[in-house]
Amino acid sequence: MPSSPTRPVDGREVHPFPHRHLTGIAGLQPHEIAFLLDEAEQWVQLNRGTAKHDDRLAGLTLINAFFENSTRTLLSFEIAGKRLGADVVNMAVAASSVKKGETLIDTAVTLNAMRADMIVIRHEASGAVQLIADKVDCPVLNAGDGRHEHPTQALLDALTIRRRKGRIDGLIVAICGDVLHSRVARSNILSLTALGAEVRVVGPPTLLPPAIERMGVSRFTDFDAGLDGADVVMMLRLQRERMAGGFVPSPREYHALYGLTYERLAKAAPDALVMHPGPMNRGVEIASAVADDLERSAITEQVEMGVAVRMACLDVLTRARRGVAGW
Amino acid sequence: MVSALAVTGGRVVTPEGMVAGGVLVRDGRITALGGFEIPADAEWIDAQGKLIAPGLIDVGVFAIDRPAFVAGGITRAVLMPDGSQPIETVALIQHAAAAGKPKVWVHPLAAATRGLNGHELAEIGLMQAGGACGVATGRRWIADSGVMYRLLAYAGALGLRTVVHAEDAGLAGHAVMTDGETATRLGLASAPAEAEALAVARDLLLVEATGAPLHFRQVTTARALDLIRAAKHRGLPVSCGITPAHLFLADSAATGFRTFAHLSPPLRDESDRQACLAAIADGTIDLICSGHDPQGPEAKRLPFADSEPGMAGAETLLALSLTLVRDGMIGLDRLFDLLAGAPARLFGLPGGRLAVGEEADLLIVNTDAPWRIESDNMAAAAGNTPFDGLPVQGRVGQTIKGGVLVR
């Protein structure tokens, strides 16, 4: 292994990932995002083998502190940590019991005192992960904070697209549905625009964030127009409580206007890739037939890439404390 | 006790303009301005060329924070009724009115509705007799137009000005920011800036219907200021205030989830901020207030949406407002009308201007003294200022309240 990890970028030698935490895609350079994707490739290979194990994180303690309910993301982080040999502890805190702030800071201080080597946090409040990151000594990884960011989801989506399409630069990506409440959408907008994609957001006007164009995307309220010629169609989950008339009149109407069916998908490019971060509301934002189409849908591949990307993040963020040369 | 005090050798801010010389005070009142003979029995202070200005009158503070008021040159504070217990009885009015003396006189506003619930009228008349200088709806807008109509008619008949918070509650919802790029990038709930103008429009119509005087505690958007400008042209008895935060900061100040920039109403975009500056220049805005609302770490060291809105503004009010003079937007006489004269006139308070016969609440100000606003080094009960780290100019040297040197 070389003593310096620097990589050439535009003719300069730069550190591939000079960040202590991963709280969001915001603040990452395009080459840093690409570096994490490159790192993840080796773990895709390992995970497809029979001996899915590496012990580079042996002896390190990974705490998954989930203040908001999650099954899939928690499982993905747990598997990622275990495959790298870390001691993984899951702390599931019901959102109702620990909610208010000083308790949040106190929790952070407690985790820190237990000498965690890496903390993965999910919280219902935008900015909560940054608040904790400012208070602890070890690297912090954001597994989703409010509507703000979900960086590993954006990384796994980018990896999925890159593997399926061979590139990201120049692709048209339509992010469709409840963009307003979606941290997945925000992180994906940041990452995909940084990597050179043309990003559109598509949805009912009540579910598109104000001034979203300022994030470098174009805005569509007409689903067909938004899908026209898209290379990637990324559907978002619509929370049940938002279908009851507050934001859209009903699940039925939502499906009719913004649900992805084969008929709708025909507006996109002939080889358009269908994605969804899960869990899906089948028959609402996406028709089952489209979701289950192995040719078009990358939804299960996204889940697979999730583990690989999280392994890459855990590895990279702990290199400094593991004494890896140059980190 | 010395009954006469002579301040000499300064530049005196009067409603008629700047006057060279000083101020002579006897028995708590101003007896001469400019040049005068120093009486043999007078205590003497040499202002050394500094500014001699009226003590500031801060309309709409949320806490009686004497150290912060004294540091900021605030000699009178008009208190909002939103304590841990709403100020809705005569006893609470009297208690609040006595709480700052002798250094700061607190003039409480009576809660407009019981428990500030926005439904039933509180005992406004009794509280007026107990010393309330006006009534206020509190931190919130009264959503029920019928209640608001009756409140204005009732308070107006008593000669009381009603202080309101201008934000349509339906549109504002649970928003903690104004719609815009910053709110969207941070993933924070936001509302259109029109929430303010919508509330202002309704209340202006009710003022027209009742003839009752009304004060918008803070107006922060171009649309709302346009409505108020037009209402003033029609002769309606309306007034409005603003804080330095909305004059000098835009919503981007919340970047990085800075909860010290979580304010109510929220910070606006740059074009609204420019409109606020223009409204200071053209006289649409009547007064500048601190919005003083000290909030400790237990209320601010939280995720942004969970944190309490508000800032500790008392001791930075003068220095920040002096920026308007330094930038050539207004003169010193207009500045001290915004900070003292207009508040006294609108709420019927003594002081607010330097004139013979007036109460001797005055400041000696070094307008050039440079200092840095530091959250960790404030006189206020908490250091929640969105201006942390900002270098400013202008500091209060001495404060004289009722003819007595208090600082």
Side-chain angles (χ1 to χ4, degrees):
Chain A
M1 191 169 225
S3 63
S4 168
T6 56
R7 313 201 315 166
V9 174
D10 302 332
R12 295 167 300 137
E13 290 289 316
V14 297
H15 192 283
F17 199 79
H19 306 279
R20 203 164 138 242
H21 307 295
L22 181 63
T23 55
I25 300 294
L28 298 187
Q29 298 295 322
H31 69 86
E32 294 163 2
I33 299 171
F35 170 71
L36 292 176
L37 302 184
D38 294 345
E39 286 286 320
E41 293 284 1
Q42 63 184 301
W43 305 120
V44 176
Q45 298 314 314
L46 181 98
N47 290 340
R48 286 180 178 177
T50 44
K52 304 177 190 61
H53 195 77
D54 184 283
D55 57 6
R56 66 183 62 197
L57 297 195
L60 300 191
T61 303
L62 164 66
I63 300 182
N64 292 319
F66 278 53
F67 295 85
E68 186 184 75
N69 288 335
S70 162
T71 310
R72 308 154 60 100
T73 307
L74 178 58
L75 192 59
S76 184
F77 271 107
E78 183 172 2
I79 290 172
K82 286 184 168 159
R83 285 193 183 157
L84 290 175
D87 298 318
V88 182
V89 185
N90 293 336
M91 194 186 87
V93 192
S96 55
S97 63
V98 180
K99 191 176 172 189
K100 290 297 172 184
E102 206 52 350
T103 320
L104 184 60
I105 299 269
D106 286 344
T107 308
V109 170
T110 303
L111 296 179
N112 198 46
M114 291 178 181
R115 305 212 171 246
D117 295 292
M118 174 94 213
I119 304 176
V120 175
I121 300 163
R122 167 168 288 194
H123 197 283
E124 63 184 348
S126 300
V129 175
Q130 185 63 53
L131 198 63
I132 294 177
D134 292 341
K135 292 284 164 208
V136 299
D137 301 319
C138 70
V140 166
L141 205 160
N142 183 0
D145 64 323
R147 339 171 161 176
H148 176 225
E149 282 234 39
H150 190 357
T152 55
Q153 179 72 43
L155 292 170
L156 74 88
D157 286 339
L159 184 62
T160 305
I161 295 170
R162 199 175 75 168
R163 289 174 63 94
R164 278 285 192 109
K165 294 284 179 190
R167 65 187 170 108
I168 290 172
D169 188 36
L171 294 180
I172 298 175
V173 181
I175 302 178
C176 309
D178 184 1
V179 180
L180 178 64
H181 299 100
S182 176
R183 55 195 172 213
V184 173
R186 282 174 180 73
S187 287
N188 262 312
I189 288 169
L190 291 166
S191 136
L192 294 170
T193 53
L195 296 173
E198 177 191 331
V199 178
R200 302 170 178 172
V201 296
V202 190
T206 47
L207 292 174
L208 295 180
I212 189 68
E213 298 89 343
R214 301 279 281 274
M215 290 186 77
V217 302
S218 45
R219 176 183 185 275
F220 293 80
T221 54
D222 181 310
F223 197 27
D224 290 336
L227 289 182
D228 185 33
D231 299 297
V232 177
V233 180
M234 194 179 277
M235 302 306 296
L236 298 171
R237 175 177 169 79
L238 181 65
Q239 300 283 346
R240 286 265 162 204
E241 64 267 25
R242 304 202 168 109
M243 303 175 199
F247 291 88
V248 293
S250 68
R252 186 166 65 179
E253 176 158 330
Y254 187 78
H255 186 68
L257 269 62
Y258 296 99
L260 187 65
T261 57
Y262 274 120
E263 207 178 2
R264 246 48 203 266
L265 188 55
K267 309 283 181 189
D271 60 345
L273 192 63
V274 174
M275 301 174 75
H276 192 296
M280 289 179 279
N281 292 302
R282 290 168 178 269
V284 183
E285 69 261 9
I286 190 164
S288 277
V290 177
D292 299 335
D293 184 335
L294 292 178
E295 289 292 308
R296 309 298 299 273
S297 163
I299 295 170
T300 53
E301 200 175 326
Q302 287 173 271
V303 178
E304 183 190 0
M305 294 305 126
V307 177
V309 153
R310 286 165 185 134
M311 290 170 79
C313 292
L314 294 176
D315 171 27
V316 168
L317 288 171
T318 55
R319 282 182 190 175
R321 56 177 46 213
R322 279 161 35 219
V324 175
W327 292 74
Chain B
M1 184 180 160
V2 180
S3 63
L5 176 69
V7 183
T8 62
R11 297 172 291 136
V12 187
V13 183
T14 76
E16 288 75 38
M18 303 300 292
V19 174
V23 175
L24 182 63
V25 177
R26 190 174 283 282
D27 297 326
R29 289 193 179 273
I30 296 169
T31 54
L33 278 173
F36 48 81
E37 287 288 316
I38 302 174
D41 66 336
E43 189 182 344
W44 177 49
I45 297 173
D46 180 1
Q48 298 177 319
K50 298 192 187 80
L51 204 66
I52 302 173
L56 310 190
I57 302 179
D58 193 0
V59 175
V61 301
F62 287 94
I64 302 172
D65 190 352
R66 211 161 45 174
F69 295 153
V70 170
I74 293 162
T75 51
R76 294 176 187 274
V78 175
L79 178 69
M80 290 294 283
D82 315 61
S84 50
Q85 192 180 2
I87 301 180
E88 54 177 338
T89 64
V90 179
L92 289 169
I93 289 280
Q94 289 170 339
H95 178 76
K101 288 178 183 176
K103 292 187 173 180
V104 180
W105 282 34
V106 174
H107 301 279
L109 293 165
T113 56
R114 276 187 231 163
L116 291 169
N117 66 7
H119 301 302
E120 304 92 17
L121 297 185
E123 293 174 332
I124 295 167
L126 294 179
M127 286 191 275
Q128 180 184 28
C133 69
V135 301
T137 64
R139 292 179 190 274
R140 286 179 302 165
W141 187 65
I142 291 181
D144 187 323
S145 301
V147 171
M148 191 63 196
Y149 176 72
R150 292 187 289 276
L151 167 66
L152 279 174
Y154 195 89
L158 292 170
L160 290 174
R161 186 169 290 263
T162 300
V163 178
V164 302
H165 179 82
E167 239 181 331
D168 182 274
L171 197 51
H174 297 293
V176 293
M177 294 269 296
T178 308
D179 277 359
E181 182 180 355
T182 305
T184 288
R185 283 186 184 272
L186 294 177
L188 292 171
S190 61
E194 284 75 10
E196 182 174 274
L198 200 55
V200 164
R202 183 203 69 174
D203 288 348
L204 289 175
L205 289 170
L206 295 177
V207 166
E208 198 155 11
T210 58
L214 180 143
H215 177 73
F216 296 104
R217 191 169 63 84
Q218 300 180 76
V219 179
T220 59
T221 63
R223 297 293 297 274
L225 287 164
D226 286 345
L227 292 171
I228 291 169
R229 193 176 285 119
K232 286 184 163 190
H233 278 299
R234 292 206 308 279
L236 295 187
V238 294
S239 56
C240 64
I242 193 167
T243 70
H246 290 92
L247 289 172
F248 299 119
L249 298 174
D251 56 354
S252 56
T255 299
F257 298 100
R258 293 184 59 215
T259 57
F260 286 0
H262 179 192
L263 305 177
S264 172
L267 289 170
R268 307 301 189 182
D269 74 9
E270 181 61 19
S271 65
D272 275 328
R273 186 181 84 83
Q274 293 295 338
C276 291
L277 288 169
I280 287 278
D282 75 8
T284 303
I285 293 176
D286 298 87
L287 62 88
I288 304 178
C289 56
S290 75
H292 193 63
D293 194 3
Q295 301 276 2
E298 63 285 350
K300 283 292 191 183
R301 211 166 64 187
L302 296 174
F304 195 93
D306 295 338
S307 68
E308 293 293 333
M311 63 175 163
E315 62 206 274
T316 58
L317 175 61
L318 179 58
L320 291 166
S321 300
L322 274 166
T323 308
L324 299 168
V325 177
R326 205 166 290 114
D327 291 349
M329 190 166 289
I330 55 173
L332 280 167
D333 48 349
R334 164 89 171 125
L335 177 71
F336 283 94
D337 192 62
L338 286 160
L339 292 170
R345 282 196 305 280
L346 292 170
F347 292 90
L349 307 177
R353 62 193 189 118
L354 299 183
V356 172
E358 195 56 77
E359 289 225 7
D361 294 354
L362 53 103
L363 315 174
I364 301 174
V365 180
N366 182 348
T367 53
D368 298 324
W371 59 289
R372 187 182 294 272
I373 298 173
E374 284 170 344
S375 173
D376 294 337
N377 188 21
M378 287 179 60
N384 52 309
T385 171
F387 294 102
D388 188 23
L390 185 75
V392 289
Q393 272 180 281
R395 221 164 193 175
V396 177
Q398 285 104 327
T399 303
I400 291 149
K401 174 82 192 82
V404 178
L405 191 65
V406 296
R407 176 191 157 96

